[in-house]
């Protein structure tokens, strides 16, 4: 651009946007190291609230449930999402209806999807628990994995698949030795994104967990704690969850930046 006069103004807007987004998070991180019992008044630096988290059996139990749900749902979503992306690209048939069906869980509000899944499980008379949360998270994460893998498939050279077939390689061998290695960075990136979404997801898990504390997840535990007021433990727990989510998302974006071989 020849005219650089608006640059300071644009930088000011950018700084204001980043401050609006990250200043509350920075305050939460700072208060998680607050020594005093008041969660909003600074009285000194301490890490005792982080230590107390690991002494809370309810939080540990919720964290283990979250880890179980996130790992299993991520594995299933990665497999199904990758196969869905390959199948859609092989058909080479584009259309709004197909795109809508694939990406509907991404654009439908979580509360609507949660109610739909709850109604579905109730219709089938399925007992709620961790297994229903896992199935629900697979439905929710499937579209995200598919979209990441499809983005990598846009530049995929399908002639190498045809060459493999012409040389007599079975389709499973072609997938294992040609297609999957090329798609692996996107699969890993989509899996990390799905894992992060599953760890942070609250509404769908809340509706499909059923009664009792046996299937409570970490976001549900935070919600039950915050109803009685914000405490330093909640600040510390939220800081840990945010840190893990940001790190995983950063790794996912880093993996998804790589192009196809030769590009």
């Amino acid at each position: 651009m020849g005219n650089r006069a608006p640059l300071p103004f644009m930088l000011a807007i950018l700084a204001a946007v980043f401050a609006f987004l990250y200043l509350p998070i920075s305050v939460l991180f700072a208060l998680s190291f607050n020594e005093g019992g008041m969660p909003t008044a600074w009285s000194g630096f301490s890490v005792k609230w982080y230590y107390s988290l690991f002494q809370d059996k309810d939080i540990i139990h919720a964290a283990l449930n979250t880890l179980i749900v996130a790992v299993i749902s991520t594995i299933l979503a990665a497999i199904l999402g990758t196969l869905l992306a390959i199948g859609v690209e092989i058909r080479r048939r584009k259309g709004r209806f197909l795109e809508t069906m694939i990406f509907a869980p991404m654009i439908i509000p979580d509360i609507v999807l949660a109610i739909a899944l709850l109604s579905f499980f109730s219709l089938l008379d399925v007992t709620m628990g961790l297994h229903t949360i896992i199935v629900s998270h697979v439905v929710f994460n499937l579209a995200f994995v598919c979209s990441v893998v499809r983005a990598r498939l846009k530049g995929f050279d399908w002639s190498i698949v045809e060459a493999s077939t012409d040389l007599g390689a079975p389709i499973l061998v072609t997938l294992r030795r040609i297609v999957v290695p090329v798609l692996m960075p996107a699969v890993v990136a989509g899996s990390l994104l799905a894992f992060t979404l599953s760890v942070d997801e609250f509404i769908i898990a809340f509706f499909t967990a059923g009664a009792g504390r046996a299937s409570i997840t970490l976001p549900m535990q935070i919600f039950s704690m915050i109803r009685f007021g914000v405490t330093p433990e909640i600040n510390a727990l939220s800081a840990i969850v945010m840190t893990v989510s940001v790190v995983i998302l950063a790794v996912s974006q880093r993996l998804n930046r790589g192009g196809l071989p030769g590009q």
Side-chain angles (χ1 to χ4, degrees):
M1 295 178 59
N3 184 11
R4 303 181 64 87
L7 182 59
F9 178 69
M10 297 301 296
L11 291 177
I13 293 179
L14 182 63
V17 170
F18 274 96
F20 177 78
L21 290 175
Y22 295 108
L23 188 59
I25 298 177
S26 301
V27 172
L28 183 146
F29 268 87
L31 291 176
S32 68
F33 295 100
N34 186 16
E35 184 179 8
M38 296 296 294
T40 57
W42 182 260
S43 59
F45 181 86
S46 176
V47 295
K48 65 180 182 180
W49 304 116
Y50 287 89
Y51 177 77
S52 66
L53 286 178
F54 296 97
Q55 309 301 317
D56 193 320
K57 294 182 179 180
D58 290 337
I59 292 178
I60 297 299
H61 177 71
L64 290 176
N65 283 344
T66 299
L67 188 61
I68 292 172
V69 170
V71 169
I72 298 178
S73 64
T74 296
I75 293 174
L76 295 176
I79 296 173
L80 297 177
T82 302
L83 293 176
L84 177 61
I86 294 174
V88 171
E89 288 298 319
I90 288 177
R91 291 188 64 185
R92 302 283 184 169
R93 293 182 59 183
K94 311 299 181 183
R96 292 183 179 179
F97 178 76
L98 181 61
E99 297 290 332
T100 301
M101 291 297 294
I102 293 175
F103 298 114
M106 296 176 61
I107 60 178
I108 293 177
D110 287 356
I111 184 67
V112 176
L113 182 59
I115 294 174
L117 290 167
L118 175 61
S119 302
F120 176 74
F121 292 134
S122 300
L123 181 64
L124 297 180
D125 197 21
V126 176
T127 303
M128 303 291 184
L130 284 182
H131 56 286
T132 52
I133 301 178
I134 291 172
V135 173
S136 302
H137 280 195
V138 171
V139 173
F140 176 69
N141 290 326
L142 189 62
F144 291 95
V145 176
C146 180
S147 64
V148 174
V149 176
R150 285 190 67 192
R152 192 168 181 87
L153 280 171
K154 294 298 182 182
F156 184 73
D157 186 6
W158 290 99
S159 63
I160 60 177
V161 176
E162 297 175 358
S164 175
T165 304
D166 292 340
L167 292 173
I171 184 62
L172 293 179
V173 174
T174 301
L175 287 174
R176 180 172 59 87
R177 304 194 62 176
I178 296 178
V179 179
V180 172
V182 173
L183 297 181
M184 188 54 64
V187 174
V188 175
S191 299
L192 292 175
L193 177 60
F195 183 86
T196 304
L197 294 172
S198 183
V199 169
D200 296 341
E201 203 284 319
F202 165 73
I203 297 178
I204 296 176
F206 182 79
F207 273 76
T208 58
R213 298 187 56 85
S215 57
I216 191 171
T217 61
L218 201 55
M220 295 167 62
Q221 178 67 26
I222 295 176
F223 175 75
S224 65
M225 293 169 62
I226 205 171
R227 288 184 300 173
F228 303 101
V230 179
T231 63
E233 289 92 343
I234 294 177
N235 288 335
L237 182 58
S238 301
I240 293 175
V241 173
M242 287 183 187
T243 302
V244 172
S245 300
V246 170
V247 170
I248 294 177
L249 281 176
V251 174
S252 173
Q253 291 297 318
R254 180 65 182 86
L255 289 174
N256 204 32
R257 282 175 57 188
L260 294 174
Q263 291 186 342

